[in-house]
Structures are given as C-alpha cells and as structure tokens.
Amino acid sequence: KQEVTQIPAALSVPEGENLVLNCSFTDSAIYNLQWFRQDPGKGLTSLLLIQSSQREQTSGRLNASLDKSSGRSTLYIAASQPGDSATYLCAVYGGATNKLIFGTGTLLAVQP
Amino acid sequence: AAGVIQSPRHLIKEKRETATLKCYPIPRHDTVYWYQQGPGQDPQFLISFYEKMQSDKGSIPDRFSAQQFSDYHSELNMSSLELGDSALYFCASSLGQGRDNQPQHFGDGTRLSIL
C-alpha cells in the first residue's frame, strides 16, 4: 500500500530564507508526483508536476526534485515571502493503486 | 484562465438527508476526480471518471454515487447523510488520465456540514 510522508509537519522561517520541504513515498512505481499548496479552508493549487522520468521541475522561486528509486522528492522555495505561508502537500500518482495519494502536508509560516 | 467550478460552496444538511454536489471541469478536460478532506486530514480519493465512464474507485461509501454527464460536468450524490460525512469535498479535473502525466487542477471545494 502506497504511503506518503512529509517532513517536517510544520515549519516557521523568517522572510527571505531559502527552505526545503521533504516528501517520501514507499512504492516507487509511480507515474508522477505533484506538489500543491493549500490555504486555510481553500482548494488545492497545483504548483509543479514531475514525471517519473524527470529529475526536477522549476517554476519561478520553486524547484522540485524527484529521486524515484529512493522514493523521495523535495520542494525548494527560494527567498521565502509571507505570502508563501500555507500548507504544502505532495501527492503521487500510480504505484499499486492508480490514484493520487496525498501526504499529510507541511504547514509553512513565513514570518515578516 | 478558467478553473474548476464547484457548487454549492457551502451546504448544511441534517442526518439522513441527501445532498448533490456539482463540479464543472476546466474546458476540454475529460477527466474528473472527487476527493474528501476531513478536518485536519489529507484529501482522500473517492472516485474518478474519464470520458463519462468510471475509471477508478477509492474509499467511496455505498451511500454515495457519482456520474459524469455528456458535457463532462460531474455530480456526487450523497444519501443517508451521517455526521462523519462532514468534510470539504473537492473536485479536480485533468486532460487525460493521471498516467498521461497531466496535472490535476482542483476546485475550491464544497464544505458540507451535517447537523
């Protein structure tokens, strides 16, 4: 059964700091991995999708990497801003179940 | 750019009542997914449709049913509502299925509260 874990569960950093969020998954037979952000009581905003054949994807200040063989992904946020404060979720598609399975998220607070 | 539209945004029901949630995918998207997110929980996959046919099924109770219509919008029908059904229900859409490596785009959700 695919299990997705995110560490840390919560993170507080001062504005301007670079930070890394971690995601690990137990079944490496995935099609892709997607990173989302969720603001309180809101929907999920898709940030980046990495295909299983890719090593990384970049969008603006965000860079996501994927090491499929070790079952790990990281989301790097450069020069963090208070507006980046949200819960960040990673989700994997594929493996034994053909579904998007989410991690429990990292709650990020960027202090001004 | 057009996004996934869900209605209603909020819904209050009593136990044993029925509810219908609606989802309008991004234009040209042919795949719709439904998720349930309980308080403090991560989203759990319920069911998906591709080209109006059910494609995958997750932890959807037998009391729930869903379908995708000819215009690709989808409805989630929930009957005999229970207190534990209180949650945020998300719809997502994509062009092609997950194995086609197309991202899923989520709506803002319907918050269902059961009294």
Coordinates of all heavy atoms in Angstrom, one line a residue, chain A residues 2-92:
Chain A
Q2 N 0.6 2.1 -0.9 CA 1.4 3.4 -1.0 C 1.2 4.2 0.2 O 0.1 4.5 0.6 CB 1.0 4.1 -2.3 CG 1.7 5.4 -2.6 CD 3.2 5.3 -3.0 OE1 4.0 5.2 -2.1 NE2 3.4 5.3 -4.3
E3 N 2.3 4.7 0.8 CA 2.2 5.6 1.9 C 3.1 6.8 1.6 O 4.2 6.6 1.1 CB 2.7 5.0 3.2 CG 1.7 3.9 3.7 CD 2.0 3.3 5.0 OE1 3.1 3.7 5.6 OE2 1.4 2.4 5.5
V4 N 2.6 8.0 1.8 CA 3.3 9.2 1.5 C 3.5 10.0 2.8 O 2.5 10.3 3.5 CB 2.6 10.1 0.5 CG1 3.4 11.3 0.1 CG2 2.2 9.3 -0.8
T5 N 4.7 10.4 3.1 CA 5.1 11.0 4.4 C 5.7 12.4 4.1 O 6.6 12.4 3.2 CB 6.0 10.2 5.2 OG1 5.4 8.9 5.4 CG2 6.2 10.8 6.6
Q6 N 5.4 13.4 4.8 CA 6.0 14.7 4.7 C 6.7 15.1 6.0 O 6.0 15.1 7.0 CB 5.0 15.7 4.2 CG 4.5 15.5 2.7 CD 3.7 16.6 2.2 OE1 2.5 16.3 1.9 NE2 4.2 17.8 2.1
I7 N 7.9 15.6 5.8 CA 8.6 16.1 7.0 C 9.3 17.4 6.6 O 9.8 17.6 5.5 CB 9.8 15.1 7.4 CG1 9.1 13.8 7.9 CG2 10.6 15.7 8.5 CD1 10.1 12.7 8.2
P8 N 9.2 18.5 7.5 CA 8.5 18.4 8.8 C 7.0 18.6 8.7 O 6.5 19.0 7.6 CB 9.2 19.6 9.6 CG 9.5 20.6 8.5 CD 9.8 19.8 7.3
A9 N 6.3 18.4 9.8 CA 4.8 18.7 9.7 C 4.6 20.1 9.8 O 3.5 20.6 9.2 CB 4.2 18.0 10.9
A10 N 5.4 20.9 10.4 CA 5.3 22.4 10.5 C 6.7 23.0 10.4 O 7.6 22.4 10.9 CB 4.5 22.8 11.7
L11 N 6.7 24.2 9.9 CA 8.0 24.9 9.7 C 7.7 26.4 9.8 O 6.8 26.9 9.1 CB 8.6 24.5 8.3 CG 9.9 25.1 8.0 CD1 11.0 24.6 8.9 CD2 10.3 24.7 6.5
S12 N 8.5 27.1 10.5 CA 8.4 28.6 10.6 C 9.8 29.1 10.3 O 10.8 28.8 10.9 CB 8.0 29.0 12.1 OG 7.9 30.4 12.1
V13 N 9.8 30.1 9.4 CA 11.1 30.7 8.9 C 10.9 32.2 8.8 O 9.8 32.7 8.6 CB 11.6 30.1 7.6 CG1 11.8 28.6 7.7 CG2 10.6 30.4 6.5
P14 N 12.0 32.9 8.9 CA 11.9 34.4 8.7 C 11.9 34.6 7.2 O 12.4 33.9 6.4 CB 13.2 34.9 9.3 CG 14.1 33.8 9.3 CD 13.3 32.5 9.4
E15 N 11.3 35.7 6.8 CA 11.2 36.1 5.4 C 12.6 36.2 4.8 O 13.5 36.7 5.4 CB 10.5 37.5 5.4 CG 10.3 38.1 4.0 CD 9.6 39.4 4.0 OE1 9.3 39.9 5.1 OE2 9.3 39.9 2.9
G16 N 12.6 35.8 3.6 CA 13.9 35.8 2.8 C 14.7 34.6 2.9 O 15.6 34.4 2.1
E17 N 14.4 33.7 3.8 CA 15.1 32.4 3.9 C 14.8 31.4 2.8 O 13.6 31.4 2.4 CB 14.9 31.8 5.3 CG 15.9 30.7 5.7 CD 15.8 30.5 7.2 OE1 16.2 31.4 7.9 OE2 15.4 29.4 7.6
N18 N 15.8 30.7 2.4 CA 15.5 29.5 1.5 C 15.1 28.3 2.3 O 15.7 28.1 3.4 CB 16.8 29.2 0.7 CG 17.2 30.4 -0.1 OD1 16.4 31.2 -0.6 ND2 18.6 30.6 -0.3
L19 N 14.2 27.5 1.8 CA 13.8 26.3 2.6 C 13.5 25.1 1.7 O 13.3 25.3 0.5 CB 12.6 26.7 3.5 CG 11.4 27.2 2.7 CD1 10.4 26.0 2.6 CD2 10.7 28.4 3.4
V20 N 13.5 24.0 2.4 CA 13.3 22.7 1.7 C 12.2 21.9 2.4 O 12.3 21.7 3.6 CB 14.6 21.9 1.6 CG1 14.3 20.5 1.0 CG2 15.6 22.6 0.8
L21 N 11.2 21.5 1.7 CA 10.2 20.6 2.2 C 10.4 19.2 1.6 O 10.8 19.0 0.5 CB 8.8 21.1 1.8 CG 8.5 22.6 2.1 CD1 7.1 22.9 1.7 CD2 8.7 22.8 3.6
N22 N 10.2 18.2 2.5 CA 10.5 16.8 2.1 C 9.3 16.0 1.9 O 8.3 16.1 2.7 CB 11.4 16.2 3.1 CG 12.8 16.9 3.2 OD1 13.6 16.8 2.3 ND2 13.0 17.6 4.3
C23 N 9.3 15.1 1.0 CA 8.2 14.1 0.7 C 8.8 12.8 0.4 O 9.8 12.7 -0.4 CB 7.4 14.6 -0.4 SG 6.2 13.5 -1.1
S24 N 8.3 11.7 1.1 CA 8.8 10.4 0.8 C 7.6 9.5 0.5 O 6.6 9.6 1.1 CB 9.7 9.8 1.9 OG 9.0 9.8 3.1
F25 N 7.9 8.5 -0.3 CA 6.8 7.5 -0.7 C 7.4 6.1 -0.7 O 8.5 5.9 -1.0 CB 6.1 7.9 -2.0 CG 7.1 8.2 -3.1 CD1 7.5 7.2 -4.0 CD2 7.6 9.5 -3.2 CE1 8.3 7.5 -5.0 CE2 8.5 9.8 -4.3 CZ 8.9 8.8 -5.2
T26 N 6.5 5.1 -0.4 CA 7.0 3.8 -0.2 C 7.0 2.9 -1.5 O 7.8 2.0 -1.6 CB 6.1 3.1 0.9 OG1 4.8 3.1 0.5 CG2 6.3 3.7 2.2
D27 N 6.2 3.2 -2.4 CA 6.1 2.4 -3.7 C 6.7 3.3 -4.8 O 6.1 4.3 -5.1 CB 4.7 2.0 -3.9 CG 4.6 1.1 -5.2 OD1 5.5 1.0 -5.9 OD2 3.5 0.5 -5.3
S28 N 7.8 2.9 -5.3 CA 8.5 3.8 -6.3 C 7.9 3.6 -7.7 O 8.3 4.3 -8.6 CB 10.0 3.4 -6.4 OG 10.2 2.1 -6.7
A29 N 6.9 2.7 -7.9 CA 6.3 2.5 -9.2 C 5.3 3.6 -9.5 O 4.1 3.3 -9.6 CB 5.7 1.1 -9.3
I30 N 5.7 4.8 -9.6 CA 4.7 5.9 -9.8 C 4.8 6.5 -11.2 O 5.8 6.3 -11.9 CB 5.0 7.1 -8.8 CG1 6.3 7.7 -9.0 CG2 4.8 6.6 -7.3 CD1 6.6 9.0 -8.2
Y31 N 3.7 7.1 -11.7 CA 3.8 7.8 -12.9 C 4.3 9.2 -12.8 O 5.1 9.7 -13.6 CB 2.4 7.9 -13.5 CG 1.8 6.6 -14.1 CD1 0.9 5.9 -13.4 CD2 2.3 6.1 -15.3 CE1 0.4 4.7 -13.9 CE2 1.8 4.9 -15.8 CZ 0.9 4.2 -15.1 OH 0.4 3.0 -15.6
N32 N 3.9 9.9 -11.7 CA 4.3 11.3 -11.4 C 4.1 11.6 -10.0 O 3.4 10.9 -9.2 CB 3.6 12.2 -12.4 CG 2.1 12.1 -12.3 OD1 1.5 12.4 -11.3 ND2 1.5 11.7 -13.4
L33 N 4.6 12.8 -9.7 CA 4.4 13.4 -8.3 C 4.1 14.8 -8.5 O 4.7 15.5 -9.3 CB 5.7 13.2 -7.5 CG 5.7 13.7 -6.0 CD1 6.6 12.9 -5.2 CD2 6.1 15.2 -5.9
Q34 N 3.1 15.3 -7.7 CA 2.6 16.6 -7.9 C 2.7 17.3 -6.5 O 2.4 16.7 -5.5 CB 1.1 16.6 -8.3 CG 0.7 17.8 -9.0 CD -0.7 17.6 -9.7 OE1 -1.2 16.5 -10.0 NE2 -1.3 18.7 -10.1
W35 N 3.1 18.6 -6.5 CA 3.2 19.4 -5.3 C 2.0 20.4 -5.4 O 1.8 21.0 -6.4 CB 4.5 20.2 -5.2 CG 5.6 19.3 -4.7 CD1 6.5 18.6 -5.4 CD2 6.0 19.1 -3.3 NE1 7.4 18.0 -4.6 CE2 7.1 18.3 -3.3 CE3 5.4 19.6 -2.1 CZ2 7.7 17.9 -2.1 CZ3 6.0 19.2 -0.9 CH2 7.1 18.3 -0.9
F36 N 1.3 20.6 -4.3 CA 0.2 21.6 -4.1 C 0.5 22.5 -3.0 O 1.2 22.1 -2.0 CB -1.1 20.8 -3.9 CG -1.5 19.9 -5.0 CD1 -1.1 18.6 -5.0 CD2 -2.4 20.3 -6.0 CE1 -1.6 17.7 -6.0 CE2 -2.8 19.5 -7.0 CZ -2.4 18.1 -7.0
R37 N -0.2 23.6 -3.0 CA -0.3 24.4 -1.8 C -1.8 24.6 -1.5 O -2.7 24.6 -2.4 CB 0.3 25.8 -1.9 CG -0.3 26.8 -2.8 CD 0.3 28.2 -2.7 NE -0.2 28.9 -1.5 CZ 0.3 30.1 -1.1 NH1 1.4 30.6 -1.6 NH2 -0.2 30.7 0.0
Q38 N -2.1 24.6 -0.2 CA -3.5 24.8 0.3 C -3.5 25.9 1.3 O -2.9 25.8 2.4 CB -4.1 23.5 0.8 CG -5.5 23.6 1.1 CD -6.2 22.3 1.6 OE1 -5.5 21.4 2.1 NE2 -7.5 22.1 1.3
D39 N -4.3 26.9 1.0 CA -4.6 28.0 2.0 C -5.7 27.5 2.9 O -6.6 26.7 2.5 CB -4.8 29.3 1.4 CG -3.6 29.8 0.6 OD1 -2.7 30.2 1.3 OD2 -3.6 29.7 -0.6
P40 N -5.8 28.0 4.1 CA -6.8 27.5 5.1 C -8.3 27.6 4.5 O -8.7 28.6 4.0 CB -6.7 28.4 6.3 CG -5.3 28.9 6.2 CD -4.9 29.0 4.8
G41 N -9.0 26.4 4.5 CA -10.3 26.4 4.0 C -10.5 26.5 2.6 O -11.6 26.7 2.1
K42 N -9.4 26.5 1.8 CA -9.4 26.7 0.4 C -9.1 25.4 -0.4 O -8.7 24.4 0.2 CB -8.4 27.8 0.0 CG -8.7 29.1 0.6 CD -9.9 29.8 0.1 CE -10.0 31.2 0.6 NZ -11.2 31.9 0.0
G43 N -9.2 25.5 -1.7 CA -8.8 24.4 -2.5 C -7.3 24.3 -2.7 O -6.5 25.0 -2.1
L44 N -6.9 23.3 -3.4 CA -5.5 23.0 -3.7 C -5.1 23.6 -5.0 O -5.7 23.5 -6.0 CB -5.3 21.5 -3.8 CG -5.4 20.7 -2.5 CD1 -6.8 20.4 -2.1 CD2 -4.6 19.4 -2.6
T45 N -3.9 24.3 -4.9 CA -3.4 24.9 -6.1 C -2.2 24.1 -6.5 O -1.2 23.9 -5.8 CB -2.9 26.4 -5.8 OG1 -4.0 27.1 -5.3 CG2 -2.3 27.0 -7.0
S46 N -2.2 23.6 -7.8 CA -1.1 22.8 -8.3 C 0.1 23.7 -8.5 O 0.0 24.8 -9.2 CB -1.6 22.2 -9.6 OG -0.5 21.4 -10.2
L47 N 1.2 23.3 -8.0 CA 2.5 24.1 -8.1 C 3.4 23.5 -9.2 O 3.8 24.2 -10.1 CB 3.2 24.1 -6.8 CG 2.5 24.7 -5.6 CD1 3.3 24.5 -4.3 CD2 2.2 26.2 -5.9
L48 N 3.6 22.2 -9.1 CA 4.6 21.5 -10.0 C 4.2 20.1 -10.2 O 3.7 19.5 -9.2 CB 6.0 21.6 -9.5 CG 6.7 23.0 -9.5 CD1 7.9 23.0 -8.6 CD2 7.1 23.4 -10.9
L49 N 4.4 19.5 -11.3 CA 4.2 18.1 -11.6 C 5.5 17.6 -12.1 O 6.1 18.1 -13.1 CB 3.1 17.8 -12.5 CG 2.8 16.3 -12.8 CD1 1.3 16.0 -13.0 CD2 3.6 15.8 -14.1
I50 N 6.1 16.5 -11.5 CA 7.3 15.9 -12.0 C 6.9 14.5 -12.5 O 6.4 13.7 -11.8 CB 8.4 15.7 -11.0 CG1 8.6 17.0 -10.2 CG2 9.7 15.3 -11.6 CD1 9.7 16.9 -9.1
Q51 N 7.3 14.2 -13.8 CA 7.0 12.9 -14.3 C 8.1 11.9 -13.8 O 9.2 12.4 -13.4 CB 7.1 12.9 -15.8 CG 6.0 13.8 -16.5 CD 6.1 13.8 -18.0 OE1 6.6 12.9 -18.6 NE2 5.7 14.9 -18.6
S52 N 7.8 10.6 -13.8 CA 8.7 9.7 -13.2 C 10.1 9.6 -13.9 O 11.1 9.3 -13.3 CB 8.1 8.3 -13.2 OG 7.8 7.9 -14.5
S53 N 10.1 10.1 -15.1 CA 11.3 10.1 -15.9 C 12.2 11.3 -15.7 O 13.3 11.4 -16.2 CB 11.0 9.9 -17.4 OG 10.2 11.0 -17.8
Q54 N 11.6 12.3 -14.9 CA 12.3 13.6 -14.8 C 13.0 13.6 -13.4 O 12.6 12.9 -12.5 CB 11.3 14.7 -14.9 CG 10.6 14.8 -16.3 CD 9.5 15.9 -16.3 OE1 8.8 16.1 -15.4 NE2 9.5 16.5 -17.5
R55 N 14.0 14.5 -13.3 CA 14.7 14.7 -12.0 C 14.2 15.9 -11.3 O 14.3 16.0 -10.1 CB 16.2 14.7 -12.3 CG 16.8 13.5 -12.9 CD 16.9 12.4 -12.0 NE 17.9 12.7 -11.0 CZ 18.3 11.8 -10.1 NH1 17.7 10.6 -10.0 NH2 19.2 12.1 -9.2
E56 N 13.9 17.0 -12.1 CA 13.4 18.2 -11.4 C 12.6 19.0 -12.3 O 12.6 18.9 -13.5 CB 14.6 19.0 -10.8 CG 15.5 19.5 -11.9 CD 16.7 20.3 -11.2 OE1 17.5 19.7 -10.5 OE2 16.7 21.6 -11.3
Q57 N 11.8 19.9 -11.7 CA 11.0 20.9 -12.4 C 11.1 22.2 -11.6 O 11.2 22.3 -10.4 CB 9.5 20.5 -12.4 CG 9.2 19.4 -13.4 CD 9.1 20.0 -14.8 OE1 8.8 21.1 -15.0 NE2 9.5 19.1 -15.8
T58 N 11.1 23.3 -12.4 CA 11.2 24.6 -11.8 C 10.1 25.5 -12.3 O 9.7 25.5 -13.4 CB 12.6 25.3 -12.2 OG1 13.6 24.4 -11.7 CG2 12.7 26.7 -11.6
S59 N 9.6 26.3 -11.3 CA 8.6 27.4 -11.6 C 8.8 28.6 -10.7 O 8.6 28.5 -9.5 CB 7.2 26.8 -11.4 OG 6.2 27.8 -11.7
G60 N 9.4 29.6 -11.3 CA 9.7 30.8 -10.5 C 10.7 30.5 -9.4 O 11.8 30.0 -9.6
R61 N 10.2 30.8 -8.1 CA 11.1 30.6 -7.0 C 11.0 29.1 -6.5 O 11.6 28.8 -5.4 CB 10.7 31.5 -5.9 CG 10.9 33.0 -6.2 CD 10.6 33.9 -5.0 NE 9.2 33.9 -4.7 CZ 8.6 33.3 -3.7 NH1 9.3 32.7 -2.8 NH2 7.3 33.4 -3.5
L62 N 10.3 28.3 -7.1 CA 10.1 26.9 -6.7 C 10.9 25.9 -7.6 O 10.9 26.1 -8.8 CB 8.6 26.5 -6.8 CG 7.6 27.4 -6.1 CD1 6.2 26.9 -6.3 CD2 7.9 27.5 -4.6
N63 N 11.5 25.0 -6.9 CA 12.2 23.9 -7.6 C 11.9 22.6 -6.9 O 12.1 22.5 -5.7 CB 13.7 24.1 -7.6 CG 14.5 23.0 -8.3 OD1 14.7 22.0 -7.6 ND2 14.8 23.2 -9.5
A64 N 11.3 21.6 -7.7 CA 11.0 20.3 -7.1 C 11.9 19.3 -7.7 O 12.2 19.3 -8.9 CB 9.6 20.0 -7.4
S65 N 12.4 18.4 -6.9 CA 13.3 17.3 -7.4 C 12.6 16.0 -7.1 O 11.8 15.9 -6.2 CB 14.6 17.4 -6.7 OG 14.5 17.0 -5.4
L66 N 13.0 15.0 -7.8 CA 12.4 13.6 -7.6 C 13.5 12.6 -7.8 O 14.3 12.6 -8.8 CB 11.3 13.4 -8.7 CG 10.8 11.9 -8.7 CD1 10.0 11.7 -7.4 CD2 9.8 11.7 -9.9
D67 N 13.7 11.8 -6.7 CA 14.5 10.6 -6.8 C 13.6 9.4 -6.6 O 13.3 9.0 -5.5 CB 15.6 10.7 -5.7 CG 16.6 9.5 -5.8 OD1 16.3 8.5 -6.4 OD2 17.7 9.6 -5.2
K68 N 13.2 8.9 -7.8 CA 12.2 7.8 -7.7 C 12.7 6.6 -7.1 O 12.0 5.9 -6.3 CB 11.7 7.5 -9.2 CG 10.4 6.8 -9.3 CD 10.0 6.5 -10.7 CE 10.2 5.1 -11.0 NZ 9.6 4.7 -12.3
S69 N 13.9 6.2 -7.3 CA 14.5 5.0 -6.8 C 14.5 4.9 -5.3 O 14.3 3.9 -4.6 CB 15.8 4.7 -7.4 OG 16.7 5.7 -7.0
S70 N 14.8 6.1 -4.7 CA 14.8 6.2 -3.2 C 13.5 6.6 -2.6 O 13.3 6.7 -1.4 CB 15.9 7.1 -2.8 OG 15.6 8.4 -3.1
G71 N 12.5 6.9 -3.5 CA 11.2 7.3 -3.0 C 11.2 8.7 -2.3 O 10.5 8.8 -1.3
R72 N 11.9 9.6 -2.9 CA 11.9 10.9 -2.3 C 11.7 12.1 -3.3 O 12.2 12.0 -4.4 CB 13.3 11.1 -1.6 CG 13.5 10.2 -0.4 CD 14.8 10.4 0.3 NE 15.0 9.5 1.4 CZ 16.0 9.5 2.2 NH1 16.9 10.4 2.1 NH2 16.0 8.6 3.2
S73 N 11.1 13.1 -2.8 CA 11.0 14.4 -3.5 C 11.2 15.5 -2.5 O 10.9 15.4 -1.4 CB 9.6 14.5 -4.2 OG 9.5 15.7 -4.8
T74 N 11.8 16.6 -3.1 CA 11.9 17.8 -2.2 C 11.3 19.0 -3.0 O 11.4 19.0 -4.2 CB 13.4 18.1 -1.9 OG1 14.1 18.4 -3.2 CG2 14.1 17.0 -1.2
L75 N 10.8 19.9 -2.3 CA 10.4 21.2 -2.8 C 11.2 22.3 -2.2 O 11.2 22.5 -1.0 CB 8.9 21.5 -2.5 CG 8.3 22.8 -3.1 CD1 8.3 22.8 -4.6 CD2 6.9 23.0 -2.5
Y76 N 12.0 23.0 -3.0 CA 12.8 24.1 -2.6 C 12.1 25.4 -2.9 O 11.7 25.6 -4.0 CB 14.2 23.9 -3.4 CG 15.1 25.1 -3.1 CD1 16.0 25.1 -2.0 CD2 15.2 26.1 -4.0 CE1 16.9 26.1 -1.8 CE2 16.1 27.2 -3.8 CZ 17.0 27.1 -2.7 OH 17.9 28.2 -2.5
I77 N 12.0 26.2 -1.9 CA 11.5 27.6 -2.1 C 12.6 28.6 -1.8 O 13.1 28.6 -0.7 CB 10.3 27.8 -1.1 CG1 9.2 26.7 -1.3 CG2 9.7 29.2 -1.3 CD1 8.0 26.8 -0.4
A78 N 12.8 29.4 -2.8 CA 13.9 30.4 -2.6 C 13.3 31.7 -2.2 O 12.2 32.1 -2.5 CB 14.6 30.6 -3.9
A79 N 14.1 32.4 -1.3 CA 13.7 33.8 -0.9 C 12.3 33.8 -0.4 O 11.4 34.5 -1.0 CB 14.0 34.8 -2.0
S80 N 11.9 33.1 0.6 CA 10.6 32.9 1.0 C 9.9 34.3 1.4 O 10.6 35.2 1.8 CB 10.5 32.0 2.2 OG 11.3 32.5 3.3
Q81 N 8.6 34.4 1.2 CA 7.8 35.6 1.4 C 6.6 35.2 2.3 O 6.2 34.1 2.3 CB 7.3 36.1 0.1 CG 8.4 36.4 -0.9 CD 7.8 36.8 -2.3 OE1 6.6 36.8 -2.5 NE2 8.7 37.1 -3.2
P82 N 6.1 36.2 3.1 CA 4.9 35.9 3.9 C 3.8 35.3 3.1 O 3.0 34.5 3.6 CB 4.6 37.3 4.5 CG 5.9 38.0 4.6 CD 6.6 37.5 3.3
G83 N 3.6 35.7 1.9 CA 2.6 35.1 1.0 C 2.8 33.6 0.7 O 1.8 33.0 0.2
D84 N 3.9 33.1 1.0 CA 4.2 31.7 0.8 C 3.6 30.8 1.9 O 3.5 29.6 1.9 CB 5.7 31.4 0.7 CG 6.3 32.0 -0.5 OD1 5.6 32.2 -1.5 OD2 7.5 32.3 -0.4
S85 N 3.1 31.5 3.0 CA 2.6 30.8 4.1 C 1.3 30.0 3.7 O 0.4 30.6 3.2 CB 2.2 31.8 5.3 OG 3.4 32.4 5.7
A86 N 1.3 28.7 3.9 CA 0.3 27.8 3.5 C 0.7 26.4 3.9 O 1.7 26.2 4.4 CB 0.0 27.9 2.0
T87 N -0.2 25.4 3.6 CA 0.1 24.0 3.8 C 0.5 23.5 2.4 O -0.1 23.7 1.4 CB -1.1 23.2 4.3 OG1 -1.4 23.7 5.6 CG2 -0.7 21.7 4.4
Y88 N 1.7 22.8 2.4 CA 2.2 22.3 1.1 C 2.0 20.8 1.2 O 2.4 20.1 2.1 CB 3.6 22.6 1.0 CG 3.8 24.1 0.6 CD1 3.7 25.1 1.6 CD2 3.9 24.6 -0.7 CE1 3.8 26.4 1.4 CE2 4.0 25.9 -1.0 CZ 4.0 26.8 0.0 OH 4.0 28.2 -0.2
L89 N 1.4 20.2 0.1 CA 1.1 18.8 0.0 C 1.8 18.2 -1.2 O 1.8 18.8 -2.3 CB -0.4 18.6 -0.1 CG -1.3 19.0 1.1 CD1 -2.7 19.4 0.6 CD2 -1.4 17.8 2.1
C90 N 2.4 17.1 -1.0 CA 2.8 16.3 -2.2 C 1.9 15.2 -2.4 O 1.2 14.7 -1.4 CB 4.3 15.8 -2.0 SG 4.5 14.5 -0.7
A91 N 1.8 14.7 -3.6 CA 0.9 13.6 -3.9 C 1.5 12.8 -5.1 O 2.0 13.4 -6.0 CB -0.5 14.1 -4.3
V92 N 1.4 11.5 -5.0 CA 1.9 10.6 -6.0 C 0.8 9.9 -6.8 O -0.2 9.6 -6.2 CB 2.9 9.6 -5.4 CG1 4.1 10.3 -4.8 CG2 2.2 8.7 -4.4

